[in-house]
Amino acid sequence: MTQKELEQLFSQYGRIITSRILVDQVTGVSRGVGFIRFDKRIEAEEAIKGLNGQKPSGATEPITVKFANNPSQKSSQALLSQLYQLDNLLNMAYGVKRFSPITIDGMTSLVGMNIPGHTGTGWCIFVYNLSPDSDESVLWQLFGPFGAVNNVKVIRDFNTNKCKGFGFVTMTNYDEAAMAIASLNGYRLGDRVLQVSFKTNKAHKS
């Protein structure tokens, strides 16, 4: 299903602000996951009511339609205030001020280039306490709803190929990255509670 077809399917329920389909960055093939952002919550609720479990024309399987992970189901207002508190705490604790994304050239030591495939500009987020079976699609699904995700990487054990418990997500925009961190840090995924933070330049000792 293309992005255009996705929009056609959902546009009957209201005004679509943005839409995207996740594709595999290597093969370009759709991951079968899409996001639609409606203007109003009621429109999204109607779309879920109308389309969840339905088979779009030409599809062999019914689709699942639900709100994108918002672990705490808080209003965005509450999340925003949480975010500003987080910002102030960071300012007090580390004297951190918002600064623009760093380009990688010549700044390798600062960013800590132990992440394969990390290029260009962006905000690197460290995700800890993932289960051994976690793969990249878990990170796409968790972080995709918050904004533009450039890259995700699950760190695997060389011998077993199982996740070593942590991974990295690179997001384009600071605000979206900070919102994702505020929402997902402490989020329960299965039987584990995730720890999510901006990646520091200290390598994590696993």
Side-chain angles (χ1 to χ4, degrees), residues 49-155:
K49 241 183 276 177
L51 292 172
N52 186 35
Q54 299 296 316
K55 249 187 233 180
S57 64
T60 50
E61 302 280 324
I63 54 173
T64 301
V65 183
K66 58 179 185 160
F67 279 108
N69 290 331
N70 176 358
S72 48
Q73 294 301 332
K74 287 182 183 151
S75 70
S76 54
Q77 203 51 48
L79 275 175
L80 274 172
S81 68
Q82 198 181 338
L83 201 60
Y84 288 121
Q85 284 166 6
L86 184 87
D87 245 17
N88 292 338
L89 281 174
L90 280 174
N91 286 343
M92 289 183 324
Y94 305 110
V96 171
K97 292 287 173 207
R98 294 190 175 200
F99 48 93
S100 33
I102 302 162
T103 49
I104 299 304
D105 330 312
M107 308 228 50
T108 359
S109 59
L110 185 62
V111 184
M113 283 309 293
N114 52 353
I115 314 162
H118 182 255
T119 55
T121 59
W123 297 92
C124 191
I125 299 167
F126 177 64
V127 185
Y128 183 64
N129 214 11
L130 293 165
S131 72
D133 298 324
S134 297
D135 63 10
E136 276 73 9
S137 67
V138 171
L139 293 177
W140 282 116
Q141 285 170 21
L142 281 171
F143 286 84
F146 293 98
V149 174
N150 298 5
N151 193 20
V152 299
K153 181 75 190 160
V154 165
I155 305 302

